[in-house]
Amino acid sequence: MANYHKNIVVLSGGVAYTETDTFAIYNPTGGAINASVKGAIKIVDSGAYVDTTAAQTIAVQPGATMYGRFTSVSGNGLICMY
């Protein structure tokens, strides 16, 4: 796991973390965890990449770290770094 950020929060209880932007999401478990994320995300619409404000579900694989700028993250067991 990269060590770029000093603060972490462990997600639990189905509650989204929204207090500050999250820059990395780490899965310390042995199985994939679906993260529901909002933030600086683009999706494909009519053949072009466009910004979206809707939550996107991304499977974070065991031991993987996902980087980005997220304003909301949920997924029990994930560790958010900010």
Side-chain angles (χ1 to χ4, degrees):
M1 178 171 67
N3 193 11
Y4 300 123
H5 306 287
K6 295 180 180 179
N7 303 305
I8 67 167
V9 61
V10 179
L11 300 179
S12 65
V15 177
Y17 180 71
T18 60
E19 291 181 26
T20 186
D21 286 354
T22 296
F23 296 100
I25 303 167
Y26 173 63
N27 179 356
T29 72
I33 297 175
N34 285 334
S36 178
V37 296
K38 291 181 182 180
I41 300 171
K42 292 188 180 283
I43 60 171
V44 175
D45 185 19
S46 300
Y49 286 98
V50 296
D51 293 325
T52 182
T53 58
Q56 302 295 306
T57 300
I58 301 171
V60 182
Q61 298 303 311
T65 303
M66 181 174 67
Y67 297 94
R69 184 172 52 86
F70 308 106
T71 56
S72 175
V73 181
S74 63
N76 291 343
L78 293 171
I79 297 174
C80 293
M81 292 166 259
Y82 61 96

